[in-house]
Amino acid sequence: HVQLVESGGGSVQAGGSLTLSCAASEYTYSANCMGWFRQAPGKEREGDAAIASDGRTSYSGSVLGRFTVSRDNAKNTLVLQMNSLKPEDTAMYYCAATRFSGRIGSGGYCYSLPGYWGQGTQVTVS
């Protein structure tokens, strides 16, 4: 059973930090590229950060230098460390995993489209 479960969202003041976690089933986690997406009200879902099965990372221009994506292989967990948060970072954040490929893409995306999604966690920056 493929499952992605996010946690760690909340409210924070501008300039603050939050850490998002995504617990993944072993089937999803081990050989897949994984990433974090955001969706603000009225906007399309867009990628922020991705990490390949070999550990290579990719970030969107808007989060580069502020967000760090990592994976804890022992715990099957994907982590997004968000620093220097801005009000425009307010969105629902989703964890995602590709279905077949572990390759990294560019601009915050995996090479392949996600095949699995978490339910999302809200981040609000004021």
Side-chain angles (χ1 to χ4, degrees), residues 7-52:
S7 61
S11 297
V12 65
Q13 291 188 337
S17 298
L18 280 175
T19 302
L20 304 185
S21 296
C22 173
S25 60
E26 184 174 354
Y27 176 81
T28 310
Y29 184 87
S30 60
N32 301 73
C33 182
M34 300 187 72
W36 289 97
F37 288 71
R38 70 168 75 183
Q39 188 166 21
K43 295 188 177 181
E44 293 188 355
R45 192 171 297 188
E46 59 183 6
D48 273 349
I51 184 165

Side-chain angles (χ1 to χ4, degrees), residues 6-10 20-21 36 91-94 119-123:
E6 302 97 334
S7 61
L20 304 185
S21 296
W36 289 97
M92 186 71 78
Y93 283 74
Y94 296 90
Q119 83 287 352
T121 186
Q122 178 68 36
V123 171

